[in-house]
Amino acid sequence: MASVHESLYFNPMMTNGVVHANVFGIKDWVTPYKISVLALLYEMTASKLTLPERRRLNKLILPLQQGPDLTLDQFLKTVEECCPQTAYAVKLRLHEMADGELKDMEYFFSTLTTPFTSFDTEPYKTSVVGLFMRHMLLAYNKLSFSQVYKLYKSLQHYYHSHYAKPTDGQVGLPALAADDSEMDLTSTEDTIERIDKEELDTPLHESELRNDNTTTKGPLSQKQAEYFLARQAYLLKNDENKALKPAALQEELNNMLKFNPDFAEAHYLNYLNSMRVQDIFLSAHSLLHYFDRLILSGNEGKSNGDDGYGRSLRYAALNLASLHCRFGHYKQADLALQEAIRIAQESNDHVCLQHCLSWLYTLEQMKGSDSTVLTEDSVKMAAHFCLPYLASLGIQSLVQQGATQGKTAHKLMDALKDTDILHWKHSLSELIEISLAQTTSIWRMYGKSTMALQQAQLLLNMSSLEPVNFGVQQNNTEAFAVALCHLAELHAEQGLYSAVSEILQHLKEQFPPHTQHAKLWMLCDLKIQFERHMNEGKCHLAEPLVTAISALNKTEGLYRKAQVLKALNRSTEAYSILQRLQVHCEKTKCAEMVIRVMLCTAELHWESSGFSTALPLLLQALALARQHHLQSLASETILHLSFTQLMLGIPEQALSVLHEAIEPVLAHGSVMDKGRALLLTARCQMAGAGFRPNGQGQADLHLAALAVDTLNEAAAYFSKLNCKERLRDVHYLQAQLHQSLGHTSQCNKSAMLFRLLDQELQSPAPPVSMRL
């Protein structure tokens, strides 16, 4: 026959009286904290509350019942946020019992029977609140006199520790854990001996999760443990900042595993927590222990028949493969993946095989190999076995590969549109977010900044389809990080650095440095700082950033290093790095970086007056940009071609070529690109007008007037970026142009501005003819 305690946990909606198993083998007991919860429930039924206050308190009841025990200070603070008057009444009720006598606590428990005398009371006997109160009453009534006295002394200590000094309070509450077991409904010596003998099942490994100074806490009940694990797992997935800190969560898990090392779910949460801090040893250890405990517990066999053991093994191998992929251990990941495929084939598990195939093409992509055929096979098989999630992931992977291989935009967008229909049909909110972030990246790659901005805003303003629990939204995923980074870079391109600071600050708060996706905003922040310093001509500030960029992305770091060396007139070293980088990028088929390297190499040829040598390189870059439909890079290449033709003495042809690129640059380009394009246009107009610095010859007044207006627009763009070196060039050209046109006052003004900037910069101005 089931004990009294076990019969209290049956589901009132079930007629067969099935009881819930207790994972830890430790029964619930009456504690001072639960007396505080009872006092709260009593005051809610006895006092009159407004509708908003009652709603807030009702939402608070379940977490208070199912969650771990809180200190009195935490408990009162939580209640006070919902209803200050009720918090004061609860505090007064506890004061009457703690500062009174034992009979005051007896009287309190005797008054709790009132709500069950009639059916019209608020805490009905089969409700969640009613069951909790009945359970506590029965547990209290079963206590012996000595146990009641110990409970009363514990209540006094619990209450007075709220007002004690911090040094006094630290030795108070943890010490009660050992005595609480004596107030258990079915306390046995076996349970206590089991707790004393068991040790934490974790290896001796130094990690930032460790904390040797933690205090020993008492065990949690089954419901408290399940609630704690479910809450923390949900928060880690959807809003990591609201979850416990890694060290604090590790401390709680260590305490939980101390009382039950075979609790599989705790090992899995330990695995997730270890991944937060990139602890490869502890994460692999916890993952293996999770599957070991899952197999030993027999839960898999009961739920999945005879195949439960094998199912755990193959998914354990698959998870281990994904773990090694995460840390870049491709050889180990490949071995684990082959093991998972072998076991899945032996068991004829098509679903597991599809997951393995998805990880197989992902692994090939991470190694830099062409995985198009594998991805297409994965999409076909996933559609055949009705696995929309894997099919959509495969299509998104094909879109990403198609974008890097030069597929046209309309084909990629059509494919994403088809997957979006599938996402909305099956409410796959995570894939919807990935699709929007991917669309943002594609538009940026193609040079359509307005469309990229629209897609990023659409993602950031989209409501999640996930059920919102614990008051959080799904906003700490990689898709949100990518969209915010694009948003920061788009604002930086327009010179809106105050907005960039706000976006980056939000990213730092949402994705702390130890989190998985923190590298995205770190690299974004460094690139923005680098570009800003280079635009302002502060190479000494940009140079230290190269090392940090290289640590996050070696390719970007090499490219930025070459840019700094070029700015410092160390052309030989810059050329050597660029040649190495071009060979590497051609092997990895990174067309964007290949084009940027070609443009930078052409600029090195300009410095040695090798304009004719730069032409074939620029034409090759232009063909590659058009092949991959990279409009922004194609426009930048045309600017370089136009400048080269200007230096070769054919300004009319240069101006004609420039007209092809000026519209996309002004529509989608950065402020720096707009200023450079207008400055180049003005120089072509001056050369086409027959302008001579010494004033000889007859100039075309119409083209000269257009050049004056164009230089004024260029100056406005450079002023927005505080680009003083470029402004100095503009004022120099303005002074010469006004002198040739006979505008003495404007000439003197431009000459004065040039002189002021030249004195401020205290560096010799490079020849205007040597840079774009």
Side-chain angles (χ1 to χ4, degrees):
M1 180 178 293
S3 66
V4 176
H5 173 75
E6 291 173 339
S7 64
L8 293 172
Y9 279 93
F10 75 93
N11 188 338
M13 300 303 294
M14 297 173 62
T15 58
N16 56 2
V18 176
V19 299
H20 294 281
N22 194 309
V23 174
F24 293 94
I26 297 172
K27 309 299 187 281
D28 289 330
W29 50 70
V30 184
T31 63
Y33 168 71
K34 291 183 179 178
I35 295 177
S36 303
V37 177
L38 287 174
L40 171 63
L41 296 174
Y42 179 83
E43 295 299 334
M44 287 177 62
T45 58
S47 58
K48 293 183 178 180
L49 302 173
T50 62
L51 186 59
E53 290 175 340
R54 187 169 295 279
R55 284 177 178 172
R56 289 194 294 267
L57 288 172
N58 286 340
K59 290 173 66 177
L60 186 65
I61 289 174
L62 196 59
L64 290 178
Q65 289 183 16
Q66 294 184 344
D69 290 3
L70 304 176
T71 63
L72 183 58
D73 184 53
Q74 295 172 331
F75 174 74
L76 292 177
K77 185 177 180 182
T78 304
V79 177
E80 190 174 1
E81 291 176 356
C82 298
C83 182
Q85 295 179 351
T86 305
Y88 178 76
V90 171
K91 185 177 179 181
L92 189 62
R93 178 72 60 179
L94 293 174
H95 174 76
E96 291 176 356
M97 289 186 283
D99 284 357
E101 298 178 357
L102 182 59
K103 63 179 182 179
D104 296 312
M105 188 177 73
E106 286 279 355
Y107 175 76
F108 170 72
F109 275 94
S110 66
T111 57
L112 289 178
T113 57
T114 307
F116 304 107
T117 56
S118 61
F119 287 93
D120 57 350
T121 54
E122 189 169 347
Y124 185 61
K125 58 184 179 181
T126 57
S127 66
V128 175
V129 174
L131 287 172
F132 174 75
M133 295 176 73
R134 290 170 62 193
H135 179 210
M136 289 298 104
L137 281 171
L138 290 173
Y140 179 77
N141 291 332
K142 191 175 181 180
L143 295 178
S144 64
F145 178 79
S146 62
Q147 291 174 335
V148 171
Y149 179 75
K150 285 188 176 183
L151 175 62
Y152 178 68
K153 298 302 289 184
S154 299
L155 177 63
Q156 285 184 321
H157 185 87
Y158 179 76
Y159 178 78
H160 291 298
S161 63
H162 173 58
Y163 300 100
K165 295 181 181 179
T167 53
D168 299 334
Q170 288 177 356
V171 296
L173 287 178
L176 296 176
D179 294 334
D180 286 339
S181 59
E182 297 186 16
M183 288 173 270
D184 187 359
L185 293 178
T186 56
S187 178
T188 60
E189 294 181 359
D190 295 338
T191 301
I192 304 300
E193 291 176 0
R194 181 172 180 265
I195 294 172
D196 292 335
K197 291 180 181 179
E198 288 176 347
E199 296 180 355
L200 178 62
D201 191 14
T202 53
L204 295 176
H205 173 64
E206 292 297 330
S207 169
E208 63 181 286
L209 294 176
R210 308 292 185 205
N211 189 354
D212 296 331
N213 298 324
T214 58
T215 57
T216 304
K217 300 181 180 179
L220 299 176
S221 67
Q222 177 195 2
K223 289 189 176 181
Q224 286 179 328
E226 290 176 351
Y227 177 81
F228 175 79
L229 294 176
R231 176 183 176 84
Q232 293 302 317
Y234 183 88
L235 290 174
L236 287 180
K237 179 179 181 293
N238 294 288
D239 195 349
E240 189 174 326
N241 291 331
K242 292 187 178 181
L244 288 178
K245 299 297 181 184
L249 182 56
Q250 183 69 22
E251 179 186 348
E252 294 291 338
L253 292 172
N254 286 348
N255 179 62
M256 195 176 294
L257 290 171
K258 177 179 181 180
F259 294 102
N260 185 7
D262 295 332
F263 193 28
E265 288 77 6
H267 283 289
Y268 190 77
L269 188 60
N270 201 3
Y271 155 70
L272 296 178
N273 191 41
S274 304
M275 295 287 284
R276 297 167 71 187
V277 294
Q278 308 296 311
D279 189 338
I280 175 63
F281 183 87
L282 187 57
S283 56
H285 177 86
S286 300
L287 182 64
L288 293 176
H289 270 285
Y290 165 70
F291 283 102
D292 287 345
R293 267 54 180 188
L294 201 64
I295 293 170
L296 292 174
S297 65
N299 291 335
E300 282 291 295
K302 293 177 182 178
S303 60
N304 297 281
D306 297 333
D307 192 41
Y309 179 82
R311 184 176 186 274
S312 294
L313 285 180
R314 54 182 175 267
Y315 277 102
L318 183 58
N319 277 271
L320 193 61
S322 68
L323 175 65
H324 285 300
C325 277
R326 169 84 172 272
F327 288 99
H329 304 158
Y330 301 137
K331 185 176 180 180
Q332 293 90 332
D334 189 55
L335 291 174
L337 198 56
Q338 295 301 327
E339 178 70 10
I341 292 173
R342 183 185 63 80
I343 302 175
Q345 286 176 338
E346 290 177 355
S347 305
N348 200 25
D349 188 344
H350 298 290
V351 176
C352 185
L353 281 172
Q354 280 308 115
H355 282 89
C356 292
L357 185 55
S358 298
W359 274 108
L360 190 60
Y361 73 70
T362 302
L363 182 61
E364 292 298 319
Q365 287 179 11
M366 297 175 85
K367 292 192 291 187
S369 305
D370 186 10
S371 60
T372 306
V373 177
L374 278 175
T375 311
E376 290 175 350
D377 291 342
S378 175
V379 172
K380 293 176 183 176
M381 295 303 294
H384 175 72
F385 290 109
C386 299
L387 300 172
Y389 189 91
L390 294 180
S392 296
L393 277 179
I395 294 174
Q396 288 177 345
S397 180
L398 285 173
V399 168
Q400 184 175 348
Q401 294 177 54
T404 57
Q405 293 171 1
K407 301 291 183 182
T408 55
H410 71 274
K411 291 183 179 179
L412 301 181
M413 295 305 167
D414 285 344
L416 286 177
K417 181 189 69 175
D418 294 338
T419 59
D420 286 340
I421 295 174
L422 196 64
H423 300 158
W424 288 105
K425 179 180 178 181
H426 296 279
S427 298
L428 302 174
S429 63
E430 187 177 358
L431 293 182
I432 294 172
E433 294 166 3
I434 294 175
S435 178
L436 288 171
Q438 194 174 49
T439 307
T440 304
S441 301
I442 290 173
W443 283 125
R444 277 216 71 200
M445 185 188 71
Y446 285 146
K448 305 292 186 180
S449 59
T450 306
M451 293 299 298
L453 183 64
Q454 181 193 46
Q455 292 297 312
Q457 293 285 3
L458 183 61
L459 172 59
L460 296 176
N461 288 280
M462 187 187 74
S463 298
S464 174
L465 298 180
E466 292 286 337
V468 180
N469 296 325
F470 311 116
V472 299
Q473 292 283 354
Q474 189 174 358
N475 57 0
N476 72 330
T477 58
E478 184 181 11
F480 278 92
V482 170
L484 286 168
C485 288
H486 281 309
L487 208 59
E489 290 178 352
L490 289 169
H491 281 79
E493 288 178 357
Q494 302 306 317
L496 305 172
Y497 291 110
S498 59
V500 171
S501 300
E502 293 180 7
I503 296 172
L504 288 174
Q505 182 61 33
H506 176 71
L507 277 165
K508 292 174 183 177
E509 294 173 356
Q510 196 65 35
F511 303 90
H514 66 267
T515 56
Q516 176 185 359
H517 307 305
K519 291 182 180 180
L520 294 173
W521 64 258
M522 288 179 181
L523 181 60
C524 174
D525 187 16
L526 290 171
K527 287 165 64 176
I528 290 173
Q529 291 183 50
F530 181 88
E531 292 296 337
R532 185 175 185 179
H533 292 323
M534 292 297 290
N535 290 340
E536 294 175 356
K538 300 176 181 177
C539 296
H540 63 285
L541 296 177
E543 190 172 7
L545 299 175
V546 173
T547 305
I549 294 175
S550 300
L552 296 172
N553 190 316
K554 188 176 180 181
T555 304
E556 286 285 346
L558 282 175
Y559 176 66
R560 309 289 168 170
K561 185 177 181 179
Q563 284 185 307
V564 171
L565 291 174
K566 183 173 71 70
L568 296 174
N569 295 321
R570 295 162 62 180
S571 303
T572 305
E573 297 175 52
Y575 184 80
S576 175
I577 291 175
L578 289 173
Q579 291 304 303
R580 251 188 313 131
L581 186 57
Q582 183 173 348
V583 172
H584 170 72
C585 293
E586 286 174 350
K587 287 182 179 179
T588 57
K589 298 180 180 180
C590 183
E592 286 184 88
M593 187 56 71
V594 170
I595 296 170
R596 294 186 187 280
V597 169
M598 288 180 176
L599 296 181
C600 197
T601 306
E603 292 174 2
L604 288 177
H605 288 305
W606 293 347
E607 293 181 0
S608 59
S609 298
F611 298 104
S612 57
T613 311
L615 270 178
L617 201 61
L618 292 174
L619 290 173
Q620 185 181 353
L622 181 60
L624 191 60
R626 286 177 172 171
Q627 177 186 346
H628 288 80
H629 309 283
L630 306 176
Q631 187 187 67
S632 60
L633 288 176
S635 300
E636 190 173 350
T637 307
I638 291 173
L639 292 181
H640 281 69
L641 276 171
S642 179
F643 178 79
T644 305
Q645 290 175 331
L646 175 64
M647 292 297 101
L648 290 174
I650 43 177
E652 295 83 3
Q653 183 65 26
L655 192 60
S656 175
V657 171
L658 186 58
H659 284 160
E660 182 182 346
I662 194 69
E663 185 176 343
V665 169
L666 294 178
H668 301 285
S670 64
V671 172
M672 189 65 179
D673 290 338
K674 293 174 184 177
R676 292 166 62 200
L678 290 173
L679 178 58
L680 179 58
T681 303
R683 294 184 62 189
C684 290
Q685 289 170 343
M686 291 171 65
F691 167 76
R692 297 289 184 274
N694 56 8
Q696 297 178 355
Q698 187 66 31
D700 187 337
L701 297 180
H702 177 67
L703 281 178
L706 288 177
V708 171
D709 295 335
T710 307
L711 285 174
N712 291 334
E713 290 184 44
Y717 285 124
F718 291 138
S719 299
K720 195 172 184 179
L721 292 176
N722 193 29
C723 189
K724 295 180 180 179
E725 287 190 353
R726 300 281 182 175
L727 279 173
R728 181 172 59 180
D729 295 344
V730 171
H731 294 319
Y732 176 77
L733 293 174
Q734 282 178 328
Q736 288 193 335
L737 185 59
H738 286 305
Q739 183 184 12
S740 177
L741 295 175
H743 302 158
T744 307
S745 59
Q746 290 92 331
C747 175
N748 292 336
K749 180 180 178 181
S750 298
M752 180 191 69
L753 293 173
F754 169 79
R755 181 63 176 170
L756 290 174
L757 286 174
D758 192 55
Q759 291 176 346
E760 181 181 350
L761 292 173
Q762 295 181 351
S763 61
V768 180
S769 60
M770 290 299 123
R771 70 174 182 182
L772 175 58

Coordinates of all heavy atoms in Angstrom, one line a residue, residues 405-437:
Q405 N 29.0 31.1 -54.7 CA 29.4 30.6 -56.0 C 28.9 31.5 -57.2 O 29.1 31.2 -58.4 CB 28.8 29.2 -56.2 CG 29.5 28.2 -55.3 CD 28.8 26.8 -55.3 OE1 27.8 26.6 -56.1 NE2 29.3 25.9 -54.5
G406 N 28.2 32.6 -56.9 CA 27.8 33.6 -57.9 C 26.4 33.3 -58.5 O 26.2 33.8 -59.6
K407 N 25.5 32.7 -57.8 CA 24.2 32.5 -58.3 C 23.5 33.9 -58.3 O 23.8 34.8 -57.5 CB 23.4 31.5 -57.4 CG 24.0 30.1 -57.3 CD 23.9 29.4 -58.6 CE 24.4 28.0 -58.5 NZ 24.3 27.2 -59.8
T408 N 22.5 34.0 -59.2 CA 21.8 35.3 -59.2 C 20.9 35.5 -58.0 O 20.4 34.5 -57.4 CB 21.0 35.4 -60.5 OG1 20.1 34.2 -60.6 CG2 21.9 35.4 -61.7
A409 N 20.6 36.7 -57.7 CA 19.8 37.0 -56.5 C 18.4 36.5 -56.6 O 17.9 36.0 -55.6 CB 19.8 38.5 -56.3
H410 N 17.8 36.5 -57.8 CA 16.4 36.1 -57.8 C 16.2 34.6 -57.6 O 15.2 34.2 -57.0 CB 15.7 36.5 -59.2 CG 16.2 35.7 -60.4 ND1 17.4 36.1 -61.0 CD2 15.7 34.6 -61.0 CE1 17.6 35.2 -62.0 NE2 16.6 34.3 -62.0
K411 N 17.2 33.8 -58.0 CA 17.1 32.4 -57.7 C 17.2 32.1 -56.2 O 16.5 31.3 -55.7 CB 18.2 31.7 -58.5 CG 18.0 31.7 -60.0 CD 19.1 30.8 -60.7 CE 18.9 30.8 -62.2 NZ 20.0 30.0 -62.9
L412 N 18.1 32.8 -55.6 CA 18.3 32.6 -54.2 C 17.1 33.0 -53.4 O 16.7 32.4 -52.4 CB 19.6 33.3 -53.7 CG 20.9 33.0 -54.3 CD1 22.0 33.8 -53.7 CD2 21.2 31.5 -54.2
M413 N 16.6 34.2 -53.7 CA 15.4 34.7 -53.0 C 14.2 33.8 -53.2 O 13.3 33.7 -52.3 CB 15.1 36.1 -53.4 CG 16.2 37.1 -53.1 SD 16.6 37.1 -51.3 CE 18.1 37.9 -51.2
D414 N 14.0 33.3 -54.4 CA 12.9 32.3 -54.7 C 13.0 31.1 -53.8 O 12.0 30.6 -53.2 CB 12.9 31.9 -56.2 CG 12.4 33.0 -57.1 OD1 11.8 34.0 -56.5 OD2 12.6 33.0 -58.3
A415 N 14.3 30.6 -53.7 CA 14.5 29.4 -52.8 C 14.1 29.7 -51.3 O 13.5 28.9 -50.6 CB 15.9 28.9 -52.9
L416 N 14.6 30.9 -50.9 CA 14.3 31.3 -49.5 C 12.8 31.6 -49.3 O 12.2 31.3 -48.2 CB 15.1 32.6 -49.1 CG 16.6 32.4 -48.9 CD1 17.2 33.7 -48.6 CD2 16.8 31.4 -47.7
K417 N 12.1 32.0 -50.3 CA 10.7 32.3 -50.2 C 9.9 30.9 -50.1 O 9.0 30.8 -49.2 CB 10.2 33.0 -51.5 CG 8.7 33.3 -51.5 CD 8.2 33.8 -52.8 CE 8.2 32.7 -53.8 NZ 7.7 33.1 -55.2
D418 N 10.4 29.9 -50.8 CA 9.7 28.6 -50.7 C 10.0 28.0 -49.3 O 9.1 27.4 -48.7 CB 10.3 27.6 -51.7 CG 9.9 28.1 -53.1 OD1 8.9 28.8 -53.3 OD2 10.6 27.7 -54.1
T419 N 11.2 28.2 -48.7 CA 11.4 27.7 -47.4 C 10.6 28.5 -46.3 O 10.2 27.9 -45.3 CB 12.9 27.8 -47.0 OG1 13.3 29.2 -47.1 CG2 13.7 26.9 -48.0
D420 N 10.4 29.8 -46.6 CA 9.6 30.6 -45.6 C 8.2 30.1 -45.5 O 7.6 30.1 -44.4 CB 9.7 32.1 -46.0 CG 11.0 32.7 -45.7 OD1 11.8 32.2 -44.9 OD2 11.3 33.8 -46.3
I421 N 7.7 29.7 -46.6 CA 6.3 29.1 -46.6 C 6.3 27.9 -45.7 O 5.3 27.7 -44.9 CB 5.8 28.8 -48.1 CG1 5.7 30.1 -48.9 CG2 4.5 28.1 -48.0 CD1 5.4 29.9 -50.4
L422 N 7.3 27.1 -45.9 CA 7.4 25.9 -45.0 C 7.6 26.2 -43.6 O 7.0 25.6 -42.7 CB 8.6 25.0 -45.5 CG 8.6 23.6 -45.1 CD1 7.4 22.8 -45.6 CD2 9.9 22.9 -45.5
H423 N 8.3 27.2 -43.3 CA 8.6 27.7 -41.9 C 7.3 28.1 -41.2 O 7.0 27.7 -40.1 CB 9.6 28.8 -41.8 CG 10.9 28.4 -42.4 ND1 11.9 29.3 -42.9 CD2 11.5 27.1 -42.6 CE1 12.9 28.7 -43.3 NE2 12.7 27.4 -43.2
W424 N 6.6 29.0 -41.9 CA 5.3 29.5 -41.3 C 4.3 28.4 -41.2 O 3.4 28.4 -40.3 CB 4.8 30.7 -42.2 CG 5.6 31.9 -42.1 CD1 6.5 32.4 -43.0 CD2 5.7 32.8 -41.0 NE1 7.1 33.6 -42.5 CE2 6.6 33.8 -41.3 CE3 5.1 32.9 -39.7 CZ2 6.9 34.9 -40.4 CZ3 5.3 33.9 -38.9 CH2 6.3 34.9 -39.2
K425 N 4.3 27.5 -42.1 CA 3.3 26.4 -42.1 C 3.5 25.5 -40.8 O 2.5 25.1 -40.2 CB 3.4 25.5 -43.4 CG 2.4 24.4 -43.4 CD 2.6 23.6 -44.7 CE 1.7 22.4 -44.7 NZ 1.9 21.6 -45.9
H426 N 4.8 25.3 -40.5 CA 5.1 24.4 -39.4 C 5.5 25.2 -38.1 O 6.0 24.6 -37.1 CB 6.2 23.4 -39.7 CG 5.8 22.5 -40.8 ND1 5.1 21.3 -40.6 CD2 6.1 22.5 -42.2 CE1 4.9 20.7 -41.7 NE2 5.5 21.4 -42.7
S427 N 5.4 26.5 -38.2 CA 5.7 27.4 -37.0 C 7.2 27.2 -36.6 O 7.5 27.1 -35.4 CB 4.8 27.2 -35.9 OG 3.5 27.5 -36.2
L428 N 8.1 27.1 -37.5 CA 9.5 26.9 -37.2 C 10.1 28.3 -37.1 O 10.8 28.8 -38.0 CB 10.2 26.1 -38.3 CG 9.6 24.8 -38.6 CD1 10.3 24.1 -39.8 CD2 9.8 23.9 -37.4
S429 N 9.9 28.9 -35.9 CA 10.4 30.3 -35.7 C 11.9 30.5 -35.8 O 12.4 31.5 -36.3 CB 9.9 30.8 -34.3 OG 10.4 30.1 -33.3
E430 N 12.6 29.5 -35.3 CA 14.1 29.6 -35.3 C 14.6 29.6 -36.8 O 15.5 30.4 -37.1 CB 14.7 28.3 -34.6 CG 16.2 28.4 -34.5 CD 16.7 27.2 -33.7 OE1 16.0 26.4 -33.2 OE2 18.0 27.2 -33.5
L431 N 14.0 28.8 -37.6 CA 14.4 28.9 -39.1 C 13.9 30.1 -39.8 O 14.6 30.6 -40.7 CB 13.9 27.6 -39.8 CG 14.5 26.3 -39.3 CD1 13.9 25.2 -40.1 CD2 16.0 26.3 -39.4
I432 N 12.8 30.7 -39.3 CA 12.4 32.0 -39.9 C 13.4 33.1 -39.5 O 13.8 33.9 -40.4 CB 11.0 32.4 -39.3 CG1 9.9 31.4 -39.8 CG2 10.6 33.8 -39.7 CD1 8.6 31.6 -39.1
E433 N 13.9 33.1 -38.3 CA 14.9 34.0 -37.9 C 16.2 33.8 -38.8 O 16.8 34.8 -39.2 CB 15.2 33.9 -36.4 CG 14.0 34.3 -35.6 CD 14.2 33.8 -34.1 OE1 15.3 33.2 -33.8 OE2 13.3 34.0 -33.3
I434 N 16.6 32.6 -38.9 CA 17.8 32.3 -39.7 C 17.6 32.8 -41.2 O 18.5 33.3 -41.8 CB 18.1 30.8 -39.7 CG1 18.5 30.4 -38.3 CG2 19.2 30.4 -40.7 CD1 18.7 28.9 -38.1
S435 N 16.4 32.5 -41.7 CA 16.1 32.9 -43.1 C 16.3 34.5 -43.3 O 16.9 35.0 -44.2 CB 14.7 32.5 -43.5 OG 14.4 32.9 -44.8
L436 N 15.7 35.2 -42.3 CA 15.8 36.7 -42.4 C 17.2 37.2 -42.2 O 17.7 38.1 -42.9 CB 14.9 37.3 -41.3 CG 13.4 37.2 -41.5 CD1 12.6 37.7 -40.3 CD2 13.0 38.0 -42.7
A437 N 18.0 36.6 -41.3 CA 19.4 36.9 -41.1 C 20.2 36.6 -42.4 O 21.1 37.4 -42.8 CB 20.0 36.2 -39.9

